[in-house]
Amino acid sequence: MKAHDGLYIDGAWRPADGRDVIEVVNPADEQVIGRVPAGTAADVDTAVRAARAALPGWAATPPAERAARLAALRDALAARKDEIAETVTAELGSPPKFSQSVHAGAPIAVAGTYAELAATYAFEEKVGNSTVYLEPIGVVGAITPWNYPLHQIVAKVAPALAAGCTVVLKPAENTPLVAQLFAEAVDAAGVPAGVFNLVTGLGPVAGQALAEHPGVDLVSFTGSTAVGRRIGAVAGAAIKKVALELGGKSANVILPSADLATAVNVGVANVMSNSGQTCSAWTRMLVHRDQYDEAVELAAAAATKYGERIGPVVSAQQQERVLGYIERGVAEGARLVAGGTEAPRERGYFVSPTVFADVTPDMAIAQEEIFGPVLSVLRYEDEEDALRIANGTVYGLAGAVWAGDEAEAVAFARRMDTGQVDINGGRFNVSAPFGGYKQSGVGRELGTHGLAEYLQTKSLQF
């Protein structure tokens, strides 16, 4: 893989304003695999100006033509699928099979949904004596995370382009190489110059400059709740719209009527996926007291099987953070039944798949987002107790409910304070809205709800 030594601005690769670079490290072997420019506030300003200049033409482009460019983008990503998967494996440490199916495959599917939506969406409607127009909100500042680097880029950029917006993207500094591949795909798709711009850089420099820039009309951010608060405050001062997809501490509620073995095994797999670096991971498993001991035994056995199957966490800093939470769980009195702090490999930022039993709802490992392969198993007394525990965090991003009767599971899920719930292992849907309640964020991504975030409303009365 070859890293570009410039920034993609106004349809071309250009030198950055400064000389500083970001080293990209393979977390599996700790080797530097590339270097990209550390963009400055001046670079962000140049990119925003390019996006502003391109906005009138792109906003006026017929939806059918925008749909054609998005279809071409989907095809350009599909043509690079193997290279995308290899790149994500190198800079994130994701196992090759997972990189191919999820990190490369899901963004292609998402791009395809927005190609279809751009062609079919009703951008105007009649309401009595009014015509209501849905128009692009303007220039979008997209700030994306490292855990699903290409998926999060496509989930922001594709609906923005479908809506007629122009974009400046600041990707995570850990995983910028796949963002450069995305820029190549945009270029190959024939998207006009300035409609999409890429500035690699550090969050406190390039990210902050993008959030603060007066030429940006909407900031779409995925990442930690702490950073989301800061972006929200900056945007609020400028009366600027934000879309925030933040942290999670999702509950996997196993009701007594469920198939316990299936629910536990799928639940463990969910937490270990992407080395636990998934904001919507079901990191709290809630089990009835009568089935608790069996569930703990099943969870520990299942987690142990993942020892050689999961990749590293993204960085030394993230490894230290996760290990710190494991130490804290032990200190708070939780019982370690799988994994722990012992390094599973001599090299790389690996963390052993870890399961805690005897976790109480007030413990840090049951309240705070760890973002690693760590599962907490909690005991509940009855359904009301399970609901209290499930809703008992500041987050509300995702969750799961298992029951022998689907209606029973749905009834419980409807009472959960969370943005999406999987019923008996329901599959992820790239067209369904994704986003959270409470401190898990503001707004939605994916499908028609994701497109709506990038539109504003105008009504004309006759």
Side-chain angles (χ1 to χ4, degrees), residues 79-123:
R80 291 164 172 76
K81 186 176 182 182
D82 290 344
E83 187 178 5
I84 288 167
E86 291 168 5
T87 300
V88 176
T89 290
E91 62 183 351
L92 181 62
S94 172
K97 185 177 179 180
F98 192 78
S99 292
Q100 183 76 212
S101 62
V102 176
H103 287 294
I108 295 168
V110 172
T113 66
Y114 283 112
E116 295 174 6
L117 273 174
T120 59
Y121 194 80
F123 289 98

Side-chain angles (χ1 to χ4, degrees), residues 133-360:
Y133 296 91
L134 298 176
E135 300 180 340
I137 200 164
V139 174
V140 173
I143 304 174
T144 56
W146 45 260
N147 60 326
Y148 289 91
L150 185 59
H151 170 72
Q152 290 294 338
I153 289 171
V154 174
K156 297 181 188 305
V157 176
L161 299 189
C165 298
T166 56
V167 181
V168 178
L169 168 69
K170 204 299 284 183
E173 48 263 40
N174 305 82
T175 54
L177 301 182
V178 76
Q180 291 188 339
L181 283 178
F182 179 78
E184 291 178 2
V186 168
D187 197 74
V191 175
V195 171
F196 170 80
N197 307 273
L198 169 67
V199 178
T200 53
L202 301 175
V205 180
Q208 182 167 330
L210 186 57
E212 292 177 343
H213 200 289
V216 172
D217 300 293
L218 180 150
V219 180
S220 180
F221 168 77
T222 297
S224 72
T225 299
V227 175
R229 284 195 193 97
R230 293 202 294 272
I231 289 175
V234 167
I239 318 297
K240 182 183 302 185
K241 185 178 178 181
V242 294
L244 304 174
E245 198 268 281
L246 308 174
K249 195 67 183 176
S250 301
N252 178 18
V253 182
I254 304 174
L255 297 176
S257 63
D259 179 334
L260 184 65
T262 298
V264 170
N265 286 324
V266 174
V268 171
N270 176 277
V271 174
M272 302 307 157
S273 176
N274 210 40
S275 302
Q277 300 168 128
T278 303
C279 53
S280 56
W282 312 332
T283 51
R284 296 181 297 147
M285 181 180 289
L286 278 55
V287 185
H288 189 270
R289 62 181 182 182
D290 293 341
Q291 299 172 314
Y292 187 80
D293 291 341
E294 182 182 359
V296 168
E297 185 177 337
L298 288 167
T304 302
K305 295 176 183 177
Y306 283 89
E308 297 297 321
R309 293 163 55 185
I310 67 172
V313 294
V314 73
S315 65
Q317 180 183 17
Q318 187 64 19
Q319 182 189 46
E320 182 180 354
R321 170 187 167 86
V322 176
L323 294 179
Y325 270 106
I326 295 173
E327 292 173 353
R328 189 170 178 182
V330 172
E332 288 183 324
R335 177 164 54 98
L336 196 62
V337 296
T341 57
E342 185 175 346
R345 304 189 193 184
E346 292 184 3
R347 195 166 184 81
Y349 309 128
F350 291 88
V351 177
S352 295
T354 297
V355 178
F356 279 106
D358 300 336
V359 179
T360 57

Side-chain angles (χ1 to χ4, degrees), residues 9 18 26 29 31 73 85 117 141 192 245 305-306 419 436:
I9 298 176
N26 184 331
D29 61 15
Q31 298 299 303
L73 174 60
L117 273 174
E245 198 268 281
K305 295 176 183 177
Y306 283 89

